[in-house]
Amino acid sequence: MSSRVTQNVDLIFQSKSNVCGQKSKKGGADYCGNLLSFYCALVCVADLRWQNSYDQPLDFNCPTGQSISRIVSEHNNNPEDRLWDFGCKATFDTTTNCFTSSYVNAFDKPFSYQCPSHQVITGMHSYHENKYEDRRWKFTCCGASNFCTDTCQWTNYVNWFDEAFTFNVPPNSYLNAAESYHENKYEDRRWKFQHCTRRSC
């Protein structure tokens, strides 16, 4: 169980301690056990959907032949960090050529990263530093001999500071760039993305 879930379980049992203590009236251990089972069914499963824990590294790659189609993130002011999750979609039908960039930003600094020509983002990787309350990022890009990008378009910023967001790459488009800047006042980043259509090579 992650530290996040453990903290949540501790909190609920602190708040319910007076109820759990009334064994003769509420069924005692059975009542508390049922409470834990119900709570974990809601929280533990939800926690497992994230690809990282607060303050811990993120290392996500889509399955072979796919690219990132969905990005979900939420911020927490206590650890001053974000949780991340991703969706992927079928993209390539032939052998792919992939590489992972070096880190594209320094802590607290903006970045704008775009995959090389006719490649799209298939992975995102980062680590967190408490001193800066920020992450450094790198990206995995893949391409194929019969895959060529065409018209590309930047989104507006998809979030405000401290705000959760879900970004879905439009149908028939593929993610190929990301841009972000950090604000020390909020210890968070805003994000926007570029997606491209595909054409015959």
Side-chain angles (χ1 to χ4, degrees):
M1 185 181 294
S2 72
S3 59
R4 180 180 177 222
V5 175
T6 302
Q7 291 169 0
N8 288 336
V9 171
D10 289 343
L11 286 174
I12 194 169
F13 273 97
Q14 289 171 14
S15 66
K16 299 295 184 180
S17 59
N18 61 324
V19 178
C20 291
Q22 298 174 1
K23 294 184 179 181
S24 60
K25 296 181 180 179
K26 295 294 185 180
D30 289 340
Y31 178 82
C32 293
N34 291 337
L35 180 63
L36 175 59
S37 297
F38 174 75
Y39 182 74
C40 210
L42 295 177
V43 177
C44 299
V45 173
D47 193 72
L48 291 176
R49 76 185 179 96
W50 299 110
Q51 299 296 325
N52 68 300
S53 299
Y54 292 119
D55 294 344
Q56 298 302 309
L58 168 69
D59 188 18
F60 177 81
N61 285 295
C62 287
T64 300
Q66 299 185 17
S67 65
I68 291 177
S69 61
R70 186 170 186 257
I71 302 175
V72 183
S73 182
E74 69 175 38
H75 184 266
N76 188 307
N77 284 327
N78 290 326
E80 292 292 9
D81 193 19
R82 282 185 170 271
L83 297 175
W84 293 85
D85 191 35
F86 304 90
C88 300
K89 65 180 178 181
T91 303
F92 306 104
D93 54 16
T94 59
T95 302
T96 55
N97 297 310
C98 303
F99 86 103
T100 299
S101 71
S102 57
Y103 286 105
V104 300
N105 67 297
F107 291 117
D108 293 347
K109 300 300 183 181
F111 72 83
S112 183
Y113 177 78
Q114 182 173 342
C115 285
S117 180
H118 306 306
Q119 294 195 3
V120 294
I121 296 175
T122 62
M124 292 177 63
H125 321 272
S126 66
Y127 71 95
H128 184 267
E129 175 56 63
N130 287 330
K131 177 180 177 180
Y132 299 96
E133 297 294 12
D134 191 23
R135 287 179 174 268
R136 295 186 71 196
W137 287 89
K138 56 184 179 180
F139 297 85
T140 298
C141 299
C142 293
S145 59
N146 66 345
F147 185 95
C148 290
T149 55
D150 193 9
T151 303
C152 297
Q153 179 179 343
W154 280 99
T155 67
N156 296 321
Y157 283 103
V158 299
N159 69 300
W160 187 250
F161 297 112
D162 294 346
E163 183 179 62
F165 72 84
T166 297
F167 169 67
N168 291 297
V169 178
N172 303 315
S173 290
Y174 303 88
L175 183 70
N176 91 318
E179 184 172 310
S180 178
Y181 72 95
H182 183 269
E183 175 57 63
N184 286 331
K185 176 181 177 181
Y186 299 97
E187 296 294 11
D188 192 23
R189 286 183 171 272
R190 297 185 72 194
W191 289 81
K192 63 180 178 179
F193 303 97
Q194 182 175 255
H195 51 85
C196 304
T197 58
R198 178 182 180 178
R199 64 173 174 82
S200 299
C201 295

